[in-house]
Amino acid sequence: MTLVVTEACIRCKYTDCVDVCPVDAFREGPNFLAIDPEDCIDCAVCVPECPVAAIYADEDVPADQRDFTPLNAVLARTWKPITRRKPALPDAETWRHVKDKRGELKR
């Protein structure tokens, strides 16, 4: 099992979750975070830290977000680890409640 970052993170990239990860499983892209399933130990301490509720256990990912499970694995192979909290993207509050942001994902 692993945890999965879903669509709500796109264009927000709050990094509160990164600070609590005991194994540094997060990877950073231009406007999204991913979790490396090879490193994640499924401790779930990151889940309540996400201010946009973008992180789910893989078995709990909503049906319309399941494509993010393999996407996290693919992106984690090329993106660099992020191990410390950073400021959210400048317009994160604007994007926080926007739905259907898949087209905004930058790889």
Side-chain angles (χ1 to χ4, degrees), residues 7-107:
E7 184 175 24
C9 182
I10 298 171
R11 297 228 31 192
C12 292
K13 202 169 85 171
Y14 292 99
T15 57
D16 306 53
C17 53
V18 171
D19 266 350
V20 298
C21 183
V23 294
D24 298 333
F26 283 90
R27 304 296 180 262
E28 181 182 24
N31 68 350
F32 183 71
L33 297 174
I35 294 175
D36 188 334
E38 297 294 318
D39 290 342
C40 181
I41 59 171
D42 198 31
C43 67
V45 296
C46 58
V47 174
E49 297 301 316
C50 180
V52 294
I55 305 171
Y56 293 87
D58 60 355
E59 69 272 8
D60 296 331
V61 174
D64 68 334
Q65 300 286 301
R66 289 195 183 128
D67 56 317
F68 280 88
T69 300
L71 180 62
N72 272 241
V74 168
L75 297 175
R77 284 188 219 120
T78 59
W79 287 353
K80 297 203 181 310
I82 177 172
T83 59
R84 297 197 188 277
R85 185 178 183 178
K86 295 180 177 180
L89 294 176
D91 59 349
E93 284 300 310
T94 302
W95 286 93
R96 179 182 192 122
H97 299 291
V98 174
K99 304 291 183 205
D100 301 319
K101 299 189 282 184
R102 280 178 172 83
E104 298 291 326
L105 178 63
K106 294 181 183 175
R107 296 176 185 227

